[in-house]
Amino acid sequence: DIVMTQTPLSSPVTLGQPASISCRSSQSLEHTNGDTSLSWLQQRPGQPPRLLIYKISKRFSGVPDRFSGSGAGTEFTLRISRVETEDVGIYYCMQTAQSPYTFGQGTKLEIK
Amino acid sequence: EVQLVESGGGLVRPGGSLRLSCTVSGFTFNAWMIWVRQAPGKGLEWVGRIKTKSEGETTDYAAPVMGRFTISRDDSENTLYLQMNSLKTDDTGLYYCVLLAHGEDHWGQGSLVTVSS
């Protein structure tokens, strides 16, 4: 199974400041067609997960442009350029390159 | 607007059975579908996957549910199912259906399953 490791597990951030979450996979997530099946999900308190970023860096419909994704191979990063109150929640990376699909442990973003 | 609505959750005794449904609207149902669960206060766990009808509706499952859970689909009803048998207390949690759309995945709101005596 592909293991997804996120760091940090907790991230206290000041409003208006940037935040960054890393995700490492134990194997490459790149398909032979060049696509990489790495997504980022946001789960606000009491809400279901919501897709933010797919294929490393593509923003899902309706996602603010302060969210961005980057990376390649086995190292990926989610960045929030200026944290807002509504960004509080848990963020997960997810790989759908190989079954069983796996998730990172989750990173809790909170406001200082 | 794409909507996935799960139903069928509830309270069941250990060893019992339950069937969850997930009805999709606003999107072609001809896509891979997965179930993901979340135990109370815990992270996300993939349960299993079903491919399209043209791919033989092939399924695969996570190790903890293999042999107990069965995923199926009815494309004529735009509905995905999760049949859960021999339920254990560890199966307690929110169950989400997810439509895989080449990365642009759509998530349901979840259905709560509680396994308790």
Side-chain angles (χ1 to χ4, degrees):
Chain A
D1 297 3
I2 297 178
V3 177
M4 306 296 287
T5 304
Q6 285 182 233
T7 54
L9 298 184
S10 178
S11 179
V13 183
T14 302
L15 281 174
Q17 292 301 301
S20 179
I21 301 169
S22 296
C23 176
R24 173 181 294 175
S25 59
S26 61
Q27 300 174 37
S28 173
L29 304 181
E30 187 171 353
H31 292 275
T32 52
N33 66 3
D35 282 343
T36 300
S37 299
L38 185 283
S39 303
W40 289 97
L41 308 168
Q42 175 196 60
Q43 188 171 32
R44 292 171 172 152
Q47 296 292 313
R50 164 199 179 199
L51 179 66
L52 293 177
I53 302 286
Y54 64 100
K55 293 184 182 179
I56 301 179
S57 60
K58 298 181 185 299
R59 261 189 308 275
F60 192 55
S61 174
V63 174
D65 60 8
R66 65 178 182 275
F67 290 93
S68 64
S70 63
T74 62
E75 300 278 348
F76 309 97
T77 302
L78 174 70
R79 290 187 177 87
I80 308 173
S81 59
R82 294 173 305 280
V83 170
E84 298 187 6
T85 306
E86 64 179 22
D87 299 335
V88 166
I90 301 177
Y91 292 77
Y92 297 92
C93 58
M94 172 187 179
Q95 69 81 17
T96 54
Q98 181 184 120
S99 176
Y101 300 162
T102 47
F103 299 87
Q105 316 95 301
T107 295
K108 188 172 186 178
L109 184 75
E110 51 195 5
I111 305 300
K112 277 184 187 174
Chain B
E1 180 192 2
V2 181
Q3 283 196 311
L4 287 77
V5 179
E6 299 96 337
S7 59
L11 173 64
V12 62
R13 302 248 190 257
S17 297
L18 211 55
R19 189 177 83 156
L20 303 183
S21 301
C22 169
T23 302
V24 178
S25 60
F27 196 90
T28 176
F29 193 61
N30 186 33
W32 291 13
M33 301 286 298
I34 66 173
W35 286 97
V36 174
R37 69 182 180 181
Q38 186 170 36
K42 301 296 184 182
L44 301 171
E45 180 186 24
W46 178 79
V47 172
R49 174 186 67 185
I50 187 165
K51 296 185 179 180
T52 63
K53 186 172 184 176
S54 62
E55 294 170 296
E57 299 183 1
T58 305
T59 54
D60 50 339
Y61 301 92
V65 308
M66 203 171 303
R68 299 188 298 123
F69 289 12
T70 302
I71 300 173
S72 60
R73 61 193 298 157
D74 183 344
D75 287 10
S76 67
E77 298 288 334
N78 282 7
T79 301
L80 174 75
Y81 299 101
L82 178 65
Q83 177 67 44
M84 302 182 290
N85 299 329
S86 304
L87 281 161
K88 307 175 182 180
T89 54
D90 286 350
D91 295 320
T92 292
L94 272 164
Y95 284 71
Y96 300 101
C97 63
V98 185
L99 185 152
L100 302 184
H102 303 291
E104 296 186 79
D105 307 331
H106 299 272
W107 287 66
Q109 294 295 306
S111 183
L112 181 62
V113 172
T114 304
V115 184
S116 174
S117 54

